[in-house]
Amino acid sequence: MQHWIELFTEQVKATSWLEWAAVILGVAEVLLARANKVWLYPTGIAATLISIYLLLNAMLYAECLLSLYYVVMSVYGWYHWIKKRHLPAVKVSFANRQEWLITLLIVFGGWGVLYVILVKFTPSTVPIWDSWVSSTAWAGMWLLARRKVENWVLLNVSNLFAIPLLYHKNLAMFALLTLILFIVAVFGYFDWRKIARQEKSSAN
């Protein structure tokens, strides 16, 4: 245990200012999202653009693609917030059987496709893990867009594997940020599950 603590301390000391900036912006994005402030979008975009640069240097190419998707969705979310914020939100609900089948297709189909791309076209040293982290996150984001409770489960599967992966790639602060996101997602799951049950009860 002492060895891991010392190794983590060394990685923190070696953390670049760009990684610190990305982590600080990432934490700010989470806080702004919780406060329901529109500034979460430009903050998140800035954090993600820095992350893409750092992930490229760490040869985590699938995560780079995932981050590019985050940027696109953040721009869309920012636009949607400004143009349609007065419209009623899509209700939170549980995924049905068809949505679960699509989710599993995204997870395992995406995993396979990304793995092949990483092996054939990149010098990735962790193609299996990198593609798995990204495919589960893609599935989670698809469920999130549909306001499904289970999005938190898929996102945390991604987070669970991303933490040691980022640590392995000497991105200690990113690993710590992902741990924070993991904890937030646990609370998010129970909050959304409660809302979904209330929605279901009121509809009956």
Side-chain angles (χ1 to χ4, degrees):
M1 184 64 181
Q2 184 65 29
H3 168 73
W4 288 107
I5 294 173
E6 289 176 358
L7 185 60
F8 179 77
T9 303
E10 289 174 8
Q11 287 191 7
V12 171
K13 289 179 180 177
T15 300
S16 68
W17 69 269
L18 270 177
E19 191 176 343
W20 278 110
V23 170
I24 291 168
L25 288 168
V27 171
E29 179 191 8
V30 172
L31 295 175
L32 287 165
R34 185 169 183 180
N36 205 31
K37 301 293 184 182
V38 71
W39 280 100
L40 77 95
Y41 291 111
T43 304
I45 291 169
T48 307
L49 289 174
I50 296 172
S51 299
I52 290 171
Y53 172 78
L54 295 170
L55 291 169
L56 274 174
N57 287 339
M59 294 193 297
L60 293 174
Y61 302 107
E63 288 221 44
C64 286
L65 288 174
L66 181 63
S67 294
L68 283 171
Y69 180 73
Y70 281 147
V71 171
V72 172
M73 291 307 294
S74 293
V75 171
Y76 170 76
W78 196 356
Y79 169 81
H80 192 271
W81 181 299
I82 294 171
K83 295 294 183 182
K84 301 183 179 180
R85 59 184 173 181
H86 300 301
L87 297 178
V90 177
K91 291 183 179 180
V92 173
S93 62
F94 293 99
N96 57 36
R97 183 177 179 180
Q98 183 180 3
E99 287 165 334
W100 263 115
L101 288 173
I102 294 172
T103 298
L104 293 174
L105 180 63
I106 294 171
V107 169
F108 293 104
W111 188 19
V113 170
L114 285 171
Y115 173 76
V116 170
I117 291 172
L118 291 178
V119 169
K120 289 189 174 293
F121 302 105
T122 77
S124 174
T125 57
V126 284
I128 294 176
W129 240 0
D130 191 13
S131 54
W132 174 255
V133 167
S134 296
S135 67
T136 48
W138 277 87
M141 287 186 290
W142 182 78
L143 288 170
L144 176 61
R146 300 178 71 86
R147 303 277 286 175
K148 300 299 176 181
V149 175
E150 294 85 353
N151 88 87
W152 300 109
V153 176
L154 271 296
L155 290 175
N156 257 359
V157 169
S158 178
N159 289 333
L160 191 63
F161 284 87
I163 292 167
L165 176 62
L166 292 166
Y167 190 74
H168 170 70
K169 286 293 186 176
N170 297 317
L171 295 169
M173 295 310 297
F174 273 17
L176 183 59
L177 175 60
T178 305
L179 177 60
I180 293 170
L181 296 177
F182 181 92
I183 295 169
V184 170
V186 170
F187 286 102
Y189 171 78
F190 287 108
D191 288 344
W192 279 40
R193 187 177 71 170
K194 182 179 178 180
I195 294 169
R197 285 177 173 175
Q198 289 173 345
E199 294 280 4
K200 190 174 181 179
S201 296
S202 62
N204 292 335

